[in-house]
Amino acid sequence: MEKRAEIKVYGRVQKAGFRDFIDEIAFNLNINGYVKNLDDGAVQVVCEGDKDAISELLKKIDITQYPIRVENIDVVYKKPTGEYTTFELIRDEDLTTATYERMDVAARYIREINSNLGQKMDSIGGKIDVLGGKMDSLGGKMDSLGGKINFLGGKIDVLGNKIDQARVEITSEIRLSRDNFRFHLDERISTIERELSLIKAKVIP
């Protein structure tokens, strides 16, 4: 069922990349209309689309995620007019303000990439620990077999020790690589954010 929603969002929602965020969500949900800043500090969204898609839009934009903090959302539903064929981000401010906001958007995406990479690296570390546990279990079974077969026991113990040594070396190397990668990534992020701050300082008098 198609609906039209006229939305006003209040809070820390201007000069924070919020309209770009809404534009991306509307695109993914196949919603048409526009988003723009209002003189009273709010952000206005007028959109038409599937009722469930608009409900999903409202859920996704109700966020507190630095530098955005949504405090209140007013919605008025009306009959759709079909006047929109795409979703448009209306930029009516001066070039300096627009540049400042685009920098905030870039910084937000960089923080998200850093967070996602960190989570993936932690997941890899967990899988390595699980693998190490399985190798320990395998070593125990091989020791038991060695006790039952005296002739092969010595050889299996030697093999078990080599496996344990290899596991320790591999785990240590991967963890070191992960820590080094995270350190260099954090350092790069800090450098980029400092450069963005310098650019802002030069662009905005």
Side-chain angles (χ1 to χ4, degrees):
M1 178 179 170
E2 294 286 313
K3 272 199 169 185
R4 176 188 179 97
E6 297 182 357
I7 306 164
K8 288 185 72 174
V9 188
Y10 300 90
R12 183 177 176 176
V13 293
Q14 291 194 12
K15 300 179 182 178
F18 190 46
R19 288 176 301 166
D20 291 87
F21 178 71
I22 294 173
D23 183 45
E24 181 179 349
I25 294 172
F27 177 84
N28 291 334
L29 293 173
N30 197 28
I31 292 174
N32 298 326
Y34 67 84
V35 58
K36 70 175 184 178
N37 285 341
L38 298 177
D39 292 338
D40 63 1
V43 167
Q44 181 184 48
V45 181
V46 176
C47 62
E48 295 184 357
D50 182 76
K51 176 184 176 182
D52 292 338
I54 291 178
S55 295
E56 186 67 18
L57 171 75
L58 290 169
K59 289 179 184 177
K60 288 182 178 292
I61 67 174
D62 190 7
I63 64 169
T64 297
Q65 178 182 323
Y66 180 82
I68 303 165
R69 180 184 291 112
V70 174
E71 296 176 355
N72 188 43
I73 299 176
D74 290 340
V75 187
V76 176
Y77 292 102
K78 296 182 178 180
K79 291 182 179 180
T81 64
E83 61 187 292
Y84 306 111
T85 56
T86 61
F87 194 87
E88 182 182 1
L89 193 165
I90 299 176
R91 299 186 188 277
D92 53 2
E93 67 270 26
D94 61 42
L95 179 60
T96 299
T97 304
T99 302
Y100 181 90
E101 186 167 9
R102 296 298 290 177
M103 288 178 180
D104 284 334
V105 173
R108 180 170 62 84
Y109 282 136
I110 290 170
R111 282 191 295 270
E112 289 178 359
I113 291 171
N114 185 30
S115 175
N116 291 336
L117 283 175
Q119 291 173 4
K120 289 180 180 178
M121 294 299 290
D122 288 340
S123 175
I124 291 172
K127 291 178 180 178
I128 291 171
D129 290 338
V130 170
L131 177 61
K134 290 181 178 179
M135 293 179 74
D136 286 339
S137 176
L138 177 61
K141 291 178 181 179
M142 293 178 72
D143 288 340
S144 175
L145 179 61
K148 294 177 182 179
I149 306 174
N150 294 330
F151 178 72
L152 295 176
K155 293 182 179 180
I156 292 173
D157 286 339
V158 170
L159 178 60
N161 289 334
K162 288 182 179 179
I163 291 174
D164 288 340
Q165 182 178 355
R167 175 182 61 80
V168 171
E169 291 176 356
I170 292 171
T171 301
S172 176
E173 184 175 342
I174 291 177
R175 285 179 176 167
L176 180 61
S177 297
R178 180 183 64 185
D179 292 341
N180 287 339
F181 177 79
R182 181 174 291 170
F183 172 78
H184 289 301
L185 182 60
D186 288 341
E187 190 176 57
R188 180 59 180 159
I189 295 299
S190 298
T191 301
I192 292 173
E193 290 183 340
R194 285 196 300 271
E195 290 175 354
L196 285 174
S197 297
L198 291 172
I199 294 171
K200 288 180 183 178
K202 291 180 181 180
V203 172
I204 301 175

